[in-house]
Amino acid sequence: MTERAERMAVLLDGKAVSEKVKAEIKTTIEALIKDGKRPPCLAVILVGEDPASQIYVRNKVRDCEETGIISKKLILSESTGESELLSVINGLNADDAVDGILVQMPLPKHIYERTVVEAIAPSKDVDAFHPVNVGNIFTGFGTFAPCTPSGILKLLDEYGISVSGKNCVVVGRSNIVGKPMAILLLQRNGTVTICHSKTKSLSEHTKNADILVVATGKAGLINGGMVKEGAVIVDVGMNRVSGKLVGDCDFPSCEAKASYITPVPGGVGPMTRAVLLCNTLKAYTNR
Ligand code: NAP
């Protein structure tokens, strides 16, 4: 092994781990069907024609098909009113054949996202955005955790990376990634710091991280000079730069310092998708 090769970080291969998770789900569902039970069902609602959302929904449906989860795709026009959307959600809440409900965000401007999130039955809220599920995550009693942070923990577990006692720094405090990530790391006994756009001297915090999770949507925000030698780096960011998908971390300089690092693409993204399937199976099992 060359000196360079010895210093290279291990790639946290979310693509490979997600395939393993999906294979386990497929086996579980095959066993259910063998027992004469119905497979789980995920309803995915898309309002409007946002091209990125269309791709996300198509991928979710494909993941369901791969594992044997029934998907129910509901495509509503851009002009759909809030009350019409709420009545669709109420119908799915009451439908015993539907286990999970996901409303693809963002919604058109005339629909208040908060109202929509709160309309989904918490037991079917596979994104775990409903206030009941958010509260359960904070108290540690939750069934579901949001897909991205939960997928990151699964990935760390797969590589035998423990959180307990480690300095964990989360850059970003969104409700879907940063905040729940910090809480889940705390539950694993990490010592957690949350940074955001108003944080002073960001690198003073990031340099202290044994485990650094970056979710800002700012390409190249973190470089190798800002991270500790041997850190575990989880890059959640997905940014298009000159047509190329890149993360929030400058990969070459961060990789040179890290012990483990997620690639973009192929790191966190596939794990997020896999956890949606896990949450759908959980919603089914809990009914
Ligand atoms: P978001 O809602 O826009 O939140 C971004 C966070 O980053 C905010 O808390 C913001 O701070 C913080 N931030 C922005 N600039 C910063 C800076 N210069 N220094 C420190 N913190 C800064 O984004 P999000 O939904 O969490 O997503 C973040 C990224 O992850 C995006 O690229 C998104 O596409 C990606 N993502 C990927 C997946 C996946 O599965 N791979 C899933 C979800 C999201 P303030 O709160 O102070 O504004």
Side-chain angles (χ1 to χ4, degrees), residues 56 147-148 171-178 195-199 202 214-218 221 235-239 246-248 267-273:
Y56 292 140
C147 299
T148 301
V171 188
R173 56 172 165 181
S174 70
N175 288 330
I176 62 165
V177 188
C195 300
H196 46 79
S197 69
K198 307 291 183 293
T199 298
L202 180 63
V214 188
T216 64
K218 298 278 178 285
L221 177 70
D235 189 350
V236 184
M238 290 197 309
N239 312 289
V246 297
D248 293 346
V268 176
M271 293 306 297
T272 299
R273 285 168 59 180

Side-chain angles (χ1 to χ4, degrees), residues 2 8 16 101 129 158 163 165 173 193 205 214 236-237 243 253 261:
T2 65
M8 285 215 332
I101 303 170
F129 295 160
E158 188 67 26
V163 173
R173 56 172 165 181
T193 303
H205 298 281
V214 188
V236 184
S253 63
I261 188 167

